[in-house]
Amino acid sequence: MPDQGLSLLGGARLMKHRRIEALLPFAVVAAFMLVILLFLPFRFKFEFDPDEGIQLIKAFLYTKGYALQTEIYSDQPPVFTVVLSTLFRIFGPEVLVARLAVLAFSCLLLTAGAHYLKLFHGQLHYLVALLFLITLPGYPELSVSAMIGLPSMSLAMVSVLALGVWHRRSGRGWLLLSALALALSTLTKAFSLILMPIFALAIVASVVKRGAEGRFSVRALWPAAAWLGVVISLQLVLLLALIGPTGWDQLIGVHLAAQDETFEARKAVEALRATWPMLLLALVGGWRSLVRRSWSGLVLTGWLILGLVALFVNQPAWWHQHILATIPAAMLAGITVADCLLYLRGRGKTLWPPDRRAALSLLGILVAVGYLAFRIPGHLEAYKAKLPNLVDDGELRVRDYEVLAAMAKADPEGGLIVTDRPMFAFRSEREIPPELAVFSRKMLSTGWLTEDEVIAAIRRYDPRVVLFGRFDLPKVRSFVQGQYELIYAYYPFRLYLRE
């Protein structure tokens, strides 16, 4: 009887330990979300990036009944616009609603990534990887910015996780979920299209590995072909359902034209330079995955390599696009560092004299510690200890809100406005000409949006107020000055009222 009691006690402890292990990824991600909600000053931040205003105004116009592509100009896929529009219909057109939606996507990415590493590696691996992920350049701000890059990567991570579960347990349902998640990812932001060949090759490798002889055969191609067929079919069906059969040239035209242009900075490359120690650890992890023939590691390695190629080839590569490569890099670096820690812990008291592997493990840990010691202080600067999301601490810029107040005074009825800063239109719940929804540097540089077209829109819609605060448009300014009165001028803003 005592032995039976001890056995039951041990079984209860084991069950409790397993429950804690199962809940730990969710607890870590929940803690990250709580820190963001309490200490990251995003509630009162007017705009993290001009792309926020573009994404928000497209969703606002879509809510008003304008059609994507045929009426609302859009150079990005439609899923994020439709998601935001649905939320705006439920909760109202608020910036906070969109930012909380992106925070939910960020938590989904962290959770899916943790479970992927837990499935193939272990608890320590995903904890280290999560530390690398949340300290990526700008990751806290990206987690609450109403932009499409992080939601796209979040859905891609769900696709990776579903693919991993299929690799381990089989089941066509997981393969279907992977295809659905990747299709949604590519229709959120098209840069995740680079993952389609990587995931297809991973499916082929998995089928070959499961084969009786472990050799390639033509039959091994069928699951990958079926998966690709489902992804492409879903993409086509959703595009037809959401934007119809016309206007698809908007999704690719301006991006192809941009490859021939020269832009001021390749900010994604600057972010990559800031993370070079982590990238080095990731490449070590990729090499070890190749040597070990680790299916899970090779999937992340392929993602990293193609992500780096895309960032260096694509023009322009903005700062927020670095996550296309740094997210898989963070996961590979987490695998590398956790393996180093586990090896040294396994050596115990016999670390001296160190062998070659122990020396390399120690070097890897020192690189990781040095990198995190450099990254974490700058990362913590983004947070404020005064609970700014509950109380406005008075440190916020007020200029943008002064412009909003001037707009409201000049046109209290909230009529249509022409502006190169769509965030001002959205925050004041004003419509803009739908053909000017994407008022961006890329559009102007490539000639897909011209000053003549802006002037034509002003003539056609005859707005009571016109606001410029981003681009120097001398031809438009000359036209507006002949028709409107300048009522507010504080660099870079110029607010005009129709006489």
Side-chain angles (χ1 to χ4, degrees):
M1 291 297 291
D3 291 340
Q4 185 179 2
L6 289 174
S7 177
L8 291 173
L9 182 60
R13 288 178 177 174
L14 180 61
M15 289 291 292
K16 182 178 180 181
H17 180 71
R18 288 178 176 174
R19 283 198 297 268
I20 292 174
E21 281 192 343
L23 293 174
L24 185 58
F26 298 101
V28 173
V29 175
F32 167 78
M33 180 180 67
L34 188 62
V35 170
I36 291 289
L37 289 173
L38 291 179
F39 302 113
L40 187 70
F42 71 91
R43 180 180 172 188
F44 299 102
K45 180 76 173 180
F46 189 85
E47 189 175 55
F48 283 102
D49 187 276
D51 280 0
E52 271 199 303
I54 293 173
Q55 300 305 326
L56 291 169
I57 200 63
K58 286 195 298 182
F60 179 71
L61 292 173
Y62 189 71
T63 305
K64 294 293 185 178
Y66 292 96
L68 282 169
Q69 260 64 35
T70 53
E71 293 179 297
I72 305 171
Y73 183 92
S74 178
D75 62 346
Q76 298 292 346
V79 164
F80 191 67
T81 299
V82 174
V83 169
L84 287 189
S85 176
T86 303
L87 293 174
F88 291 161
R89 287 189 176 97
I90 298 172
F91 301 105
E94 299 288 341
V95 176
L96 183 60
V97 171
R99 289 176 174 173
L100 290 178
V102 176
L103 179 58
F105 276 112
S106 177
C107 293
L108 178 62
L109 186 152
L110 297 176
T111 304
H115 279 85
Y116 181 80
L117 294 182
K118 180 183 177 183
L119 181 66
F120 289 99
H121 299 276
Q123 180 174 292
L124 182 61
H125 296 78
Y126 75 72
L127 288 175
V128 177
L130 287 180
L131 184 58
F132 280 120
L133 278 169
I134 64 175
T135 54
L136 289 176
Y139 190 85
E141 292 85 353
L142 286 175
S143 294
V144 288
S145 298
M147 297 190 292
I148 57 179
L150 194 140
S152 176
M153 289 293 93
S154 175
L155 293 166
M157 190 63 74
V158 172
S159 180
V160 169
L161 175 60
L163 206 61
V165 177
W166 168 81
H167 174 74
R168 274 292 180 87
R169 304 174 187 172
S170 297
R172 296 177 181 175
W174 292 109
L175 210 56
L176 180 62
L177 176 60
S178 173
L180 174 61
L182 189 60
L184 291 173
S185 172
T186 59
L187 293 184
T188 301
K189 187 170 179 63
F191 67 179
S192 58
L193 285 169
I194 65 167
L195 300 179
M196 290 176 62
I198 294 298
F199 292 0
L201 287 174
I203 294 170
V204 173
S206 179
V207 175
V208 170
K209 189 175 182 179
R210 293 176 188 175
E213 299 179 357
R215 295 180 180 178
F216 175 77
S217 66
V218 176
R219 294 181 62 184
L221 297 175
W222 284 110
W227 179 86
L228 279 173
V230 172
V231 173
I232 295 172
S233 298
L234 286 170
Q235 290 169 338
L236 294 175
V237 169
L238 288 172
L239 282 174
L240 286 170
L242 297 177
I243 66 177
T246 60
W248 293 16
D249 59 311
Q250 296 178 18
L251 300 177
I252 58 175
V254 66
H255 305 293
L256 292 177
Q259 305 311 306
D260 299 325
E261 297 294 323
T262 300
F263 291 85
E264 293 179 2
R266 298 177 63 86
K267 298 182 180 180
V269 176
E270 295 173 7
L272 294 177
R273 289 173 184 161
T275 60
W276 70 264
M278 184 194 73
L279 291 174
L280 180 62
L281 292 170
L283 292 175
V284 171
W287 172 253
R288 295 175 75 241
S289 298
L290 180 62
V291 172
R292 295 177 175 182
R293 296 184 180 180
S294 167
W295 183 91
S296 61
L298 287 174
V299 172
L300 295 174
T301 303
W303 181 349
L304 168 61
I305 292 172
L306 285 188
L308 288 172
V309 170
L311 290 176
F312 280 100
V313 170
N314 184 57
Q315 175 77 1
W318 301 118
W319 72 274
H320 47 81
Q321 295 174 345
H322 71 82
I323 57 176
L324 180 62
T326 53
I327 284 175
M331 296 179 68
L332 281 168
I335 294 172
T336 302
V337 174
D339 282 346
C340 292
L341 290 168
L342 291 175
Y343 179 75
L344 292 180
R345 188 176 70 177
R347 287 285 301 264
K349 296 180 180 180
T350 62
L351 280 176
W352 192 263
D355 59 14
R356 179 172 175 271
R357 185 176 176 185
L360 291 175
S361 296
L362 184 59
L363 178 61
I365 293 170
L366 290 175
V367 170
V369 170
Y371 168 75
L372 291 172
F374 172 77
R375 285 292 319 153
I376 289 176
H379 170 79
L380 294 177
E381 289 179 1
Y383 299 95
K384 304 294 181 183
K386 298 180 180 179
L387 298 180
N389 278 320
L390 301 180
V391 179
D392 186 346
D393 61 6
E395 298 176 1
L396 303 166
R397 294 176 57 189
V398 298
R399 185 67 57 199
D400 297 328
Y401 293 97
E402 286 182 1
V403 175
L404 279 179
M407 288 168 51
K409 182 179 180 180
D411 183 19
E413 296 180 1
L416 180 142
I417 183 175
V418 170
T419 178
D420 61 352
R421 291 283 300 274
M423 179 62 86
F424 286 88
F426 179 80
R427 284 189 175 272
S428 58
E429 297 189 25
R430 299 169 184 265
E431 295 181 13
I432 67 170
E435 60 268 35
L436 300 183
V438 183
F439 212 128
S440 68
R441 188 179 307 279
K442 183 187 289 188
M443 291 284 291
L444 291 169
S445 298
T446 57
W448 276 66
L449 177 63
T450 66
E451 291 194 60
D452 288 335
E453 289 174 326
V454 177
I455 293 172
I458 295 174
R459 284 176 171 156
R460 183 183 309 119
Y461 292 93
D462 193 26
R464 181 169 175 78
V465 291
V466 174
L467 171 68
F468 294 110
R470 186 182 180 192
F471 300 112
D472 183 24
L473 305 170
K475 192 173 182 179
V476 176
R477 185 170 66 249
S478 176
F479 170 79
V480 170
Q481 287 174 346
Q483 308 291 327
Y484 289 75
E485 177 187 357
L486 180 65
I487 62 171
Y488 182 94
Y490 193 103
Y491 184 82
F493 299 106
R494 300 181 303 277
L495 180 64
Y496 296 92
L497 176 66
R498 187 179 67 238
E499 295 178 355

